[in-house]
Amino acid sequence: MQRPVFISTILLALSMSIAAPQVVSGNGWGHGNGNGNGWGHGNGNGNGNNNNGDFKKIAVPNPEAPDFGAIFNWGLKLRNIDELFLIAGHGAHDSNGQIMFPGDAVGQTQYILDHFDEYLDDAGYDRKDIIRIEFTMTTDVTDGEFNAILGLFADYFAPVNIKPAAGTLRIVDALAIPGMLVEYEIWCAK
């Protein structure tokens, strides 16, 4: 049975291939047609020209933009998606809504990242499955804190071969809970 091809309209962050892309493939669903398209169950060999259905993430760098490759890619192509997992904004709070590290954007980011792998695992995902991040920060986050936060994300994604695409960095006056300085929305696929 063919699934509608609606995911490409959702993933607006994907761009044209400008440089030699990296390809990562994994086990997944798909019945390839040799052009990287198709759905159903199958196995693939990671070669985009002979696709038998494995999920693939392809990094698409932009040589006209700064190199943030340790943290994110400017473009990311996805092939043979079985599932898209959209995760609402996560802040540094406990199950009662109590903010951890109030007023400390770097501490809040570290807290979120320290607990995020468990959340992903409980949902059947891994950090390598993250395809997009939306960053939201308050106007209270300083340039120094922002740079430290980028360092935390670089460390978090260091073991991941193909980095996610970054979404828009939003700067807002306040977030939902007093003392909350950062919030991150995550998209995953496999």
Side-chain angles (χ1 to χ4, degrees), residues 7 14 19 50 64 66 80 96 109 115 150-151 156-157 167 182:
I7 295 176
L14 300 177
N50 185 13
E64 302 299 321
N80 303 319
N96 296 318
T109 300
H115 293 88
L150 291 180
Y156 183 75
F157 286 116
V182 297

Side-chain angles (χ1 to χ4, degrees), residues 21-25 46-48 56-59 79 161-162:
Q22 288 181 296
V23 177
V24 169
S25 61
N47 181 337
K56 290 179 181 54
K57 288 173 40 176
I58 304 165
R79 294 195 176 132
N161 189 28
I162 303 290

Side-chain angles (χ1 to χ4, degrees), residues 137-161:
M137 299 177 183
T138 69
T139 55
D140 297 322
V141 177
T142 67
D143 289 345
E145 288 171 318
F146 178 71
N147 289 330
I149 287 168
L150 291 180
L152 293 176
F153 273 95
D155 291 345
Y156 183 75
F157 286 116
V160 176
N161 189 28

Side-chain angles (χ1 to χ4, degrees), residues 29-43 50-54 80:
W29 290 86
H31 176 75
N33 64 7
N35 296 318
N37 301 313
W39 294 92
H41 188 268
N43 295 311
N50 185 13
N51 182 1
N52 290 324
D54 284 349
N80 303 319

Side-chain angles (χ1 to χ4, degrees), residues 13-186:
L14 300 177
S15 64
M16 296 180 355
S17 178
I18 296 172
Q22 288 181 296
V23 177
V24 169
S25 61
N27 293 327
W29 290 86
H31 176 75
N33 64 7
N35 296 318
N37 301 313
W39 294 92
H41 188 268
N43 295 311
N45 62 10
N47 181 337
N49 294 326
N50 185 13
N51 182 1
N52 290 324
D54 284 349
F55 171 69
K56 290 179 181 54
K57 288 173 40 176
I58 304 165
V60 184
N62 183 347
E64 302 299 321
D67 181 8
F68 290 108
I71 305 166
F72 68 85
N73 283 297
W74 287 103
L76 193 64
K77 293 182 181 183
L78 304 176
R79 294 195 176 132
N80 303 319
I81 297 172
D82 184 43
E83 184 173 82
L84 181 64
F85 179 36
L86 304 177
I87 302 169
H90 273 61
H93 49 76
D94 64 14
S95 61
N96 296 318
Q98 179 71 36
I99 292 295
M100 305 289 111
F101 305 96
D104 178 359
V106 177
Q108 289 181 17
T109 300
Q110 187 64 64
Y111 179 87
I112 293 165
L113 294 175
D114 285 348
H115 293 88
F116 209 71
D117 283 340
E118 181 178 348
Y119 179 77
L120 288 172
D121 186 58
D122 288 347
Y125 283 82
D126 187 87
R127 72 176 74 169
K128 71 177 173 21
D129 300 320
I130 297 173
I131 60 169
R132 183 176 172 87
I133 305 168
E134 296 284 341
F135 297 83
T136 305
M137 299 177 183
T138 69
T139 55
D140 297 322
V141 177
T142 67
D143 289 345
E145 288 171 318
F146 178 71
N147 289 330
I149 287 168
L150 291 180
L152 293 176
F153 273 95
D155 291 345
Y156 183 75
F157 286 116
V160 176
N161 189 28
I162 303 290
K163 311 300 189 238
T168 302
L169 167 62
R170 297 180 201 94
I171 306 295
V172 298
D173 289 332
L175 289 165
I177 304 172
M180 188 173 166
L181 298 177
V182 297
E183 181 178 66
Y184 306 107
E185 297 171 47
I186 307 289

